[in-house]
């Protein structure tokens, strides 16, 4: 075992993954586990304990395969952990916990303008500030003993190394706590004394320390393993896309539970040009630069809509069945209208429904993937995406979705990244800036069907019953 390998720990909303990579960027091994919500008594929480137990055994297994030199954590946004006396003080709130309306209204009254924070008012606990406010109402002595707040990726770098940090890609992820343009904590965060509770700022591309003695014993790893600060998963996807993009102005579509479209900061889109009520926001990159973004819960909606069909429908293997199903959907004007997860996406306040739902499960699946492409197309319009689109993540393998997007946006070069080119590639790039993928991305072929009339009809239907109108 002479290789000095890297482990990327990717803690998504639906899955936690650990992948083992060679120094040259070759994938050696990948493991995953489904995440669960935990009942913390007063709220639904993230399963920090379950993830840690799985990570311990997984690191021990990976350590037997190759000599590990680096561990890099990546995690979803809208989550943070409170630590005190080297222990987790309180289970992290799951952002899907339904925070009581009275507490939400009280918090919303103190929120700052979108033009300053780039953070839209979101449901449940999707604004991290809402979570902190909620916890203060539940536990008036929350800050007794001066606990430290860690963004979710940095909770894991701390857990592995014992060194606490905060980092801008998570602080600037629709938290209400950060000013993307001014690159500093918001007035709200300062006045509520939350800013002072966060661990010191560090960069995502910096090592925070070596693995702790506790984790040496638990994982069997050597004491010289370097633990990196880590970052928000969508921003890792943006870095991965930048290694391939041949245009200064490109957009990455990160797909998983969420579909997040992030337009490169070279575009200089102002927050004032984005509609926050349609789930547009300003993220920040690892240097703190604003990144115009739009999103919706695409993976969650696809899973909800496919339901039992997902067990016996695979549109990614049979091109003939894929084409026939798509043709039947267009011919019968079968379509899915948004939205199936309340309060999110370009049509967040609309209520999802079917028009002419097909009886055939393959055709239903085709309509679902066309729906995901149409909502993505609307989200891309909101941030003015042009030139180049790189799709990464779980649904980059959904051939009909990718082909439909290429057909809907013929002015853009559309690429689908393979699984090996996911957020892990962005993390590897931060560890080794000279790293580059060995294979270029292949441009996606557009679905050889005209979608113009179908898109026009779909948008007309959206405008006829939803509170949000869309142009075109």
């Amino acid at each position: 075992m002479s290789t000095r390998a890297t482990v990327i720990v990717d803690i998504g909303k639906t899955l936690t993954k650990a992948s083992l990579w060679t120094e040259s960027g070759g994938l050696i091994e990948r493991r995953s586990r489904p995440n669960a919500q935990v009942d913390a008594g007063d709220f639904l929480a993230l399963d920090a304990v379950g993830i840690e137990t799985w990570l311990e055994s997984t690191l021990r297994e990976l350590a037997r395969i190759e000599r590990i030199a680096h561990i890099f954590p990546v995690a979803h946004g809208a989550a943070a952990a409170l630590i005190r006396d080297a222990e987790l003080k309180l289970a992290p709130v799951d952002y899907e916990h339904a925070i009581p309306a009275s507490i939400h209204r009280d918090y919303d009254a103190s929120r700052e303008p979108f033009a300053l924070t780039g953070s839209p008012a979101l449901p449940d606990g999707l604004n991290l500030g809402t979570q902190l406010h909620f916890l203060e109402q539940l536990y008036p002595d929350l800050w007794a003993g001066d606990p430290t707040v860690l963004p979710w990726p940095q909770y894991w770098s701390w857990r592995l190394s014992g060194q606490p940090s905060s980092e801008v890609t998570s602080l600037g992820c629709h938290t209400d706590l950060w000013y993307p343009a001014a690159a500093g904590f918001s007035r709200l965060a300062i006045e509520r004394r939350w800013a002072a509770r966060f661990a010191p700022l560090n960069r995502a591309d910096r090592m925070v320390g070596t693995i702790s003695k506790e984790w040496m014993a638990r994982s069997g790893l050597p004491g010289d393993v370097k633990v990196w600060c880590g970052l928000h998963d969508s921003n890792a996807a943006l870095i991965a896309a930048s290694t391939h993009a041949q245009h200064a102005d490109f957009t990455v579509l990160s797909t998983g539970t969420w579909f997040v479209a992030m337009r490169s900061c070279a575009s200089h889109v102002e927050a004032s040009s984005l509609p926050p009520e349609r789930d547009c926001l300003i993220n920040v990159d690892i240097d703190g630069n604003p990144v115009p973004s739009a999103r919706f819960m695409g993976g969650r909606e696809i899973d909800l809509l496919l339901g039992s069909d997902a067990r016996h429908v695979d549109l990614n293997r049979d091109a003939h069945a894929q084409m026939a199903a798509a043709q039947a959907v267009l011919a019968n004007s079968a379509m899915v209208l948004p939205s199936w997860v309340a309060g999110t996406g370009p049509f967040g306040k609309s209520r999802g429904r079917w028009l002419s739902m097909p009886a055939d499960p393959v055709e239903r699946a085709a309509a679902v993937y066309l729906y995901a492409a149409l909502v993505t197309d609307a989200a891309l319009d909101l941030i003015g995406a042009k030139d180049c689109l790189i799709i990464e993540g779980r649904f980059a393998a959904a051939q009909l979705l990718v082909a439909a997007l290429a057909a809907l946006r013929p002015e853009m070069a559309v690429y689908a990244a393979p699984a090996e080119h996911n957020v892990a590639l962005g993390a590897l790039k931060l560890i080794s800036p000279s790293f580059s993928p060995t294979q270029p991305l292949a441009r996606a072929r557009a679905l050889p069907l005209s979608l113009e009339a179908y898109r026009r009809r779909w948008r007309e239907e959206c405008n006829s019953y939803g509170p949000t109108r869309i142009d075109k």
Side-chain angles (χ1 to χ4, degrees), residues 306 308-310 312-315 325 358-368:
L306 288 183
S308 59
D309 291 346
H312 56 85
V313 172
D314 187 353
L315 291 179
D360 179 71
V362 177
E363 292 179 17
R364 283 199 300 272
V368 169

Side-chain angles (χ1 to χ4, degrees), residues 125-298:
L126 278 165
N127 297 119
L128 186 56
T130 311
Q131 293 183 30
L132 296 179
H133 177 76
F134 167 64
L135 291 175
E136 287 181 341
Q137 310 312 302
L138 280 181
Y139 310 115
D141 63 345
L142 179 69
W143 305 116
D146 291 325
T148 298
V149 183
L150 300 176
W152 194 221
Q154 285 69 54
Y155 170 75
W156 294 101
S157 61
W158 166 80
R159 193 69 194 90
L160 292 165
S161 71
Q163 301 300 317
S165 299
S166 295
E167 190 273 331
V168 295
T169 62
S170 290
L171 289 173
C173 173
H174 52 82
T175 63
D176 294 339
L177 308 180
W178 193 257
Y179 290 156
F185 280 103
S186 67
R187 176 183 55 78
L188 173 67
I190 294 171
E191 290 182 353
R192 296 290 294 268
R193 300 192 63 205
W194 296 335
R197 310 283 184 186
F198 277 89
L201 282 170
N202 207 336
R203 285 184 57 90
D205 56 359
R206 295 291 185 267
M207 182 188 76
V208 296
T210 53
I211 194 166
S212 67
K213 290 182 179 179
E214 175 195 354
W215 276 86
M216 287 174 59
R218 292 176 64 174
S219 66
L221 290 170
D224 60 351
V225 173
K226 298 177 180 178
V227 180
W228 294 72
C229 182
L231 77 163
H232 176 223
D233 53 7
S234 294
N235 293 77
L238 183 67
I239 295 167
S242 70
T243 67
H244 294 287
Q246 299 179 4
H247 302 81
D249 192 346
F250 69 91
T251 298
V252 58
L253 178 69
S254 179
T255 68
T257 301
W258 290 90
F259 281 29
V260 184
M262 305 177 74
R263 189 175 172 191
S264 62
C265 58
S267 56
H268 301 298
V269 174
E270 299 292 336
S272 58
S273 68
L274 300 176
E277 70 280 2
R278 300 184 66 183
D279 226 345
C280 288
L281 63 150
I282 299 290
N283 281 294
V284 295
D285 67 13
I286 66 165
D287 296 314
N289 299 311
V291 179
S293 307
R295 57 183 211 153
F296 68 105
M297 249 181 163

Side-chain angles (χ1 to χ4, degrees), residues 34-51:
N35 293 329
Q37 290 180 323
V38 176
D39 186 351
D42 295 312
F43 56 88
L44 294 176
L46 301 176
D47 188 14
V49 174
I51 293 170

